[in-house]
Amino acid sequence: MSGTHKKLGARHKARKRAVDFLFEAEARDLDPVDLATERAELSGKDDSVAPVAPYTVTVVTGVAENLDRLDEVISSHLQDWTLERLPAVDRAILRIAVWELFHATDVPPVVAVDEAVELAKQLSTDESPGFVNGILGQVVLVASQVRSAAAATSRRAETAGGESNDARS
């Protein structure tokens, strides 16, 4: 990677791999979590398969478990477009970024947006970075309320003394 003027961190590489898995799973009609998990296991046995970072599996699982909600949020911010009409790679990038904005409390919102724009520059069309930035700029405005509501819900579940049941989809 000499020649890259900006050092891309482990999380960036993990997100890029998550985009790859989401893209491949959609194209091949596979479960993205199974795909990521199988590749992670395979990489332990076969040196020709690149290792899969734990954060990649976390992101793919998070996107898969929240897919309907993520797609609903993205769709609500698309003007004169449908999610289905977007390039598949843009769909994957947006899903990851919106998942991070809503659920990855250790990722500052500006980082989630910047990373998505960077991935769009690397992987998609010339129009995609601006498009992704525009959509996420709107989603950021609601993300803090979503995070706060989620935190309040999990606190209520913990103080109720029972285990929170997160199996609903």
Side-chain angles (χ1 to χ4, degrees), residues 10-23:
R11 280 268 175 112
H12 178 80
K13 291 177 185 136
R15 286 180 188 94
K16 189 169 191 276
R17 196 81 189 275
V19 170
D20 293 343
F21 286 142
L22 292 172
F23 180 88

Side-chain angles (χ1 to χ4, degrees), residues 69-90:
R69 177 78 178 112
L70 298 174
D71 285 355
E72 200 178 283
V73 170
I74 295 164
S75 295
S76 73
H77 294 285
L78 295 174
Q79 282 137 0
D80 305 323
W81 275 88
T82 61
L83 199 58
E84 296 73 37
R85 283 182 62 202
L86 292 182
V89 68
D90 290 1

Side-chain angles (χ1 to χ4, degrees), residues 55-73:
Y55 192 66
T56 297
V57 178
T58 299
V59 170
V60 169
T61 303
V63 168
E65 288 174 352
N66 296 280
L67 189 62
D68 292 345
R69 177 78 178 112
L70 298 174
D71 285 355
E72 200 178 283
V73 170

